[in-house]
Amino acid sequence: MSHQRPLARRTLIAAAAASLVAATPATSLGSEARARYHTVGRIRRAAGGFAEYSWPGVSFEGRFRGTGVGLVLDDADNDYDIQIDGVTATTLVTPGRTTAWIHDLVDTEHTVRLVKRTESPWAVGRFGGFVAAPRGAILAPPRARSRQIEFIGDSNTAGYGNVSDTRDCSTNGGVNRNTNTDLAFGALTARSLGADHQINAYSGLGMVRNYDGHSPDVDYRTYYDRALLNVAGDVWRRPHTWRPQLVVIGLGLNDFSTPLRPGERWATEDDLVADYERAYLRFIDGLRARYGRDTFIVVSAAALHNTTAFARAAQHVVEVRGRRGDRRVGYWYYDDPALDHLGCDWHPSAHDHRIISGLLDAYVATLPLRW
């Protein structure tokens, strides 16, 4: 079931960061220090050694020695988790321009990970690197993982409102305070497989039609090639190291979950299905040009209460690809009676994302992946 809302309706409420973090004015770092992290998210290098980004789930991983580490940020829109040695130490809520410090650690080698929990298609986040506490040192970054997965989708893929305990998030902090992309099914599956991953998801958008027909001049394809979503014409410069063996696409909930309105360009659901399938096939053509023939592409669909068009159209896309000789495209349909949809606006909850991740893990285990 999909009950996505346009992102502009999100409630933004500022809150204090956890007491474990001491915020100071942003630290000025040398370029060598700034470069000592690993990321596979879509970023763009900016002046002053900062990395800029918009997509949810972008993360930065580093290693350091000592009793503390600082994280240089310039972002008044997003929330972040800071993880030390694989455990979440604290959450930063719209930190602004600052260096957030984690102190009082055992004086030894540690890993640190900064992960963007929220969506911000209207704004750019900026990360300036890690800085060591006195008498400590930033070490060489962790090695890239050999397995790589890219997730393409909408609010379900982004983890929209997944950590809420109520479907109405208007009184408990809004969607941003209740979203954690790092606990969405894609991130969970990537961790279970030991894979680097991107989550290139945008709530409310579909392959050809957006939720309830809003913003008819754009759709997901308008933004897919960008690093910075709010910069028209921006194109992500894909590093040669990013060649995912697996791409999981989840687009269609917004195309089909609401009835067509008068004045939309499709007269009937059959017209919408035909347009959706044509666009999907072209989209896969683009992925093939980008990543080559060996990447396995998963076309996914989920249950909708009002129609079976989404599932039928997604499955037909896979059948057409197969008839054209593209055998490394598969169809994955997910649903489970245990899904409670207790996230914001009836979206999957964190409990649901664990179930969906388990279903995806089982499906991926059947694929002829070369990794």
Side-chain angles (χ1 to χ4, degrees), residues 20 28 57 60-61 77 79 83 102 114 152 166 173 195 199 202 206 232 242 250 258 278 317 336 354 364:
L20 187 60
S28 177
F60 303 89
E61 297 177 272
D77 288 279
D79 297 354
Q83 299 165 358
I102 303 291
L114 176 75
I152 294 169
T166 176
I199 296 185
Y202 196 138
W242 183 246
T258 55
R278 285 192 295 268
V317 166
D336 192 283
R354 291 191 293 271
V364 170

Short mmCIF file of all heavy atoms in Angstrom, two decimals, residues 20 28 57 60-61 77 79 83 102 114 152 166 173 195 199 202 206 232 242 250 258 278 317 336 354 364:
data_model
loop_
_atom_site.label_atom_id
_atom_site.label_comp_id
_atom_site.label_asym_id
_atom_site.label_seq_id
_atom_site.Cartn_x
_atom_site.Cartn_y
_atom_site.Cartn_z
N LEU A 20 26.15 13.19 23.87
CA LEU A 20 27.46 12.64 23.60
C LEU A 20 28.24 13.53 22.64
O LEU A 20 29.46 13.47 22.56
CB LEU A 20 27.31 11.24 22.99
CG LEU A 20 28.58 10.42 22.78
CD1 LEU A 20 29.29 10.20 24.11
CD2 LEU A 20 28.25 9.09 22.13
N SER A 28 38.62 23.86 10.12
CA SER A 28 39.26 23.94 8.82
C SER A 28 40.29 22.84 8.71
O SER A 28 41.22 22.75 9.51
CB SER A 28 39.93 25.31 8.65
OG SER A 28 40.60 25.38 7.43
N GLY A 57 20.61 8.41 2.59
CA GLY A 57 21.46 7.26 2.86
C GLY A 57 22.92 7.42 2.50
O GLY A 57 23.71 6.49 2.65
N PHE A 60 29.64 8.23 5.00
CA PHE A 60 31.08 8.44 4.95
C PHE A 60 31.70 7.58 6.05
O PHE A 60 31.29 7.66 7.21
CB PHE A 60 31.41 9.92 5.18
CG PHE A 60 30.76 10.84 4.18
CD1 PHE A 60 29.49 11.36 4.42
CD2 PHE A 60 31.39 11.16 3.00
CE1 PHE A 60 28.87 12.19 3.51
CE2 PHE A 60 30.78 12.01 2.08
CZ PHE A 60 29.52 12.51 2.32
N GLU A 61 32.68 6.78 5.69
CA GLU A 61 33.32 5.87 6.63
C GLU A 61 34.80 6.22 6.79
O GLU A 61 35.47 6.49 5.79
CB GLU A 61 33.19 4.43 6.14
CG GLU A 61 31.76 3.93 6.05
CD GLU A 61 31.70 2.52 5.50
OE1 GLU A 61 31.63 2.38 4.26
OE2 GLU A 61 31.73 1.56 6.29
N ASP A 77 19.42 21.02 7.20
CA ASP A 77 18.18 20.38 6.75
C ASP A 77 18.05 18.92 7.17
O ASP A 77 16.94 18.44 7.38
CB ASP A 77 18.08 20.44 5.22
CG ASP A 77 17.79 21.84 4.74
OD1 ASP A 77 16.62 22.25 4.76
OD2 ASP A 77 18.74 22.54 4.35
N ASP A 79 19.11 15.02 9.11
CA ASP A 79 19.51 14.33 10.33
C ASP A 79 20.55 13.26 9.97
O ASP A 79 20.51 12.69 8.87
CB ASP A 79 18.32 13.64 10.98
CG ASP A 79 17.25 14.62 11.44
OD1 ASP A 79 17.48 15.84 11.36
OD2 ASP A 79 16.19 14.15 11.88
N GLN A 83 28.10 6.58 13.88
CA GLN A 83 28.35 5.22 14.37
C GLN A 83 29.83 5.05 14.66
O GLN A 83 30.67 5.37 13.83
CB GLN A 83 27.88 4.19 13.34
CG GLN A 83 26.38 4.28 13.06
CD GLN A 83 25.95 3.55 11.82
OE1 GLN A 83 26.76 2.98 11.08
NE2 GLN A 83 24.65 3.56 11.53
N ILE A 102 32.77 13.38 19.08
CA ILE A 102 32.54 12.22 19.94
C ILE A 102 33.77 12.09 20.83
O ILE A 102 34.89 11.93 20.33
CB ILE A 102 32.35 10.92 19.13
CG1 ILE A 102 31.20 11.07 18.14
CG2 ILE A 102 32.12 9.73 20.05
CD1 ILE A 102 29.84 11.15 18.77
N LEU A 114 29.41 8.19 9.28
CA LEU A 114 28.38 9.21 9.29
C LEU A 114 27.39 8.86 8.19
O LEU A 114 27.79 8.68 7.03
CB LEU A 114 28.99 10.58 9.02
CG LEU A 114 28.01 11.75 8.91
CD1 LEU A 114 27.48 12.14 10.28
CD2 LEU A 114 28.66 12.95 8.22
N ILE A 152 17.13 1.86 -6.47
CA ILE A 152 16.46 2.95 -7.16
C ILE A 152 14.99 2.88 -6.77
O ILE A 152 14.37 1.83 -6.90
CB ILE A 152 16.62 2.81 -8.68
CG1 ILE A 152 18.09 2.98 -9.08
CG2 ILE A 152 15.73 3.80 -9.42
CD1 ILE A 152 18.38 2.60 -10.52
N THR A 166 3.53 5.67 14.87
CA THR A 166 2.17 6.04 14.55
C THR A 166 2.11 6.49 13.09
O THR A 166 3.08 7.05 12.58
CB THR A 166 1.66 7.17 15.46
OG1 THR A 166 0.36 7.57 15.05
CG2 THR A 166 2.58 8.37 15.43
N GLY A 173 7.03 14.86 15.47
CA GLY A 173 8.26 15.31 14.85
C GLY A 173 8.23 15.40 13.34
O GLY A 173 9.19 15.87 12.74
N ALA A 195 27.89 -5.55 1.38
CA ALA A 195 28.01 -4.80 0.13
C ALA A 195 28.00 -3.30 0.37
O ALA A 195 27.29 -2.79 1.24
CB ALA A 195 26.87 -5.17 -0.81
N ILE A 199 21.47 4.36 -2.19
CA ILE A 199 20.02 4.41 -2.15
C ILE A 199 19.59 5.69 -2.85
O ILE A 199 19.64 6.78 -2.28
CB ILE A 199 19.47 4.32 -0.72
CG1 ILE A 199 19.85 2.97 -0.11
CG2 ILE A 199 17.95 4.53 -0.71
CD1 ILE A 199 19.29 2.70 1.26
N TYR A 202 13.52 8.79 -4.15
CA TYR A 202 12.88 10.10 -4.08
C TYR A 202 11.40 9.87 -3.82
O TYR A 202 10.67 9.38 -4.68
CB TYR A 202 13.08 10.83 -5.41
CG TYR A 202 12.83 12.32 -5.41
CD1 TYR A 202 13.69 13.17 -6.10
CD2 TYR A 202 11.74 12.88 -4.76
CE1 TYR A 202 13.47 14.55 -6.14
CE2 TYR A 202 11.52 14.25 -4.78
CZ TYR A 202 12.38 15.07 -5.48
OH TYR A 202 12.15 16.43 -5.51
N GLY A 206 7.19 8.74 -9.48
CA GLY A 206 7.03 7.48 -10.17
C GLY A 206 7.81 7.45 -11.45
O GLY A 206 8.52 8.41 -11.80
N ALA A 232 19.11 21.92 -11.41
CA ALA A 232 18.66 21.51 -12.74
C ALA A 232 19.86 21.32 -13.66
O ALA A 232 20.76 22.16 -13.70
CB ALA A 232 17.70 22.54 -13.31
N TRP A 242 32.53 2.57 -9.33
CA TRP A 242 31.14 2.22 -9.05
C TRP A 242 30.53 1.48 -10.23
O TRP A 242 30.10 2.07 -11.22
CB TRP A 242 30.31 3.46 -8.73
CG TRP A 242 28.89 3.11 -8.37
CD1 TRP A 242 27.76 3.42 -9.07
CD2 TRP A 242 28.45 2.36 -7.24
NE1 TRP A 242 26.64 2.91 -8.45
CE2 TRP A 242 27.04 2.24 -7.31
CE3 TRP A 242 29.12 1.76 -6.16
CZ2 TRP A 242 26.29 1.55 -6.37
CZ3 TRP A 242 28.37 1.08 -5.21
CH2 TRP A 242 26.98 0.98 -5.31
N GLY A 250 12.55 0.01 -7.63
CA GLY A 250 11.21 -0.01 -7.02
C GLY A 250 10.44 1.23 -7.40
O GLY A 250 10.29 2.14 -6.58
N THR A 258 -2.94 5.83 -6.87
CA THR A 258 -4.07 6.76 -6.81
C THR A 258 -4.77 6.81 -8.16
O THR A 258 -4.12 6.66 -9.21
CB THR A 258 -3.58 8.18 -6.43
OG1 THR A 258 -2.56 8.59 -7.36
CG2 THR A 258 -3.04 8.20 -5.02
N ARG A 278 6.78 1.43 -21.52
CA ARG A 278 7.72 2.01 -22.49
C ARG A 278 8.85 2.76 -21.78
O ARG A 278 10.03 2.61 -22.12
CB ARG A 278 6.98 2.95 -23.44
CG ARG A 278 6.15 2.25 -24.50
CD ARG A 278 5.68 3.24 -25.56
NE ARG A 278 4.78 4.25 -25.01
CZ ARG A 278 3.46 4.13 -25.00
NH1 ARG A 278 2.88 3.05 -25.50
NH2 ARG A 278 2.71 5.11 -24.49
N VAL A 317 7.37 -5.98 -18.09
CA VAL A 317 8.65 -5.37 -18.46
C VAL A 317 9.75 -6.43 -18.47
O VAL A 317 10.57 -6.50 -19.39
CB VAL A 317 8.99 -4.22 -17.49
CG1 VAL A 317 10.46 -3.81 -17.63
CG2 VAL A 317 8.09 -3.02 -17.75
N ASP A 336 3.68 -9.45 2.54
CA ASP A 336 3.72 -10.39 3.65
C ASP A 336 2.58 -10.03 4.60
O ASP A 336 2.36 -8.84 4.88
CB ASP A 336 5.07 -10.31 4.39
CG ASP A 336 5.26 -11.45 5.37
OD1 ASP A 336 4.66 -11.39 6.46
OD2 ASP A 336 6.00 -12.39 5.05
N ARG A 354 12.48 -4.78 8.01
CA ARG A 354 13.23 -6.00 8.32
C ARG A 354 12.63 -7.20 7.60
O ARG A 354 13.35 -8.07 7.09
CB ARG A 354 13.27 -6.22 9.83
CG ARG A 354 14.12 -5.20 10.58
CD ARG A 354 14.36 -5.60 12.02
NE ARG A 354 13.14 -5.58 12.82
CZ ARG A 354 12.69 -4.50 13.47
NH1 ARG A 354 13.35 -3.36 13.41
NH2 ARG A 354 11.58 -4.57 14.20
N VAL A 364 17.57 -12.63 -3.61
CA VAL A 364 18.91 -12.43 -4.14
C VAL A 364 19.72 -13.73 -4.11
O VAL A 364 20.54 -13.99 -5.01
CB VAL A 364 19.64 -11.31 -3.35
CG1 VAL A 364 21.12 -11.23 -3.71
CG2 VAL A 364 18.96 -9.97 -3.62
#
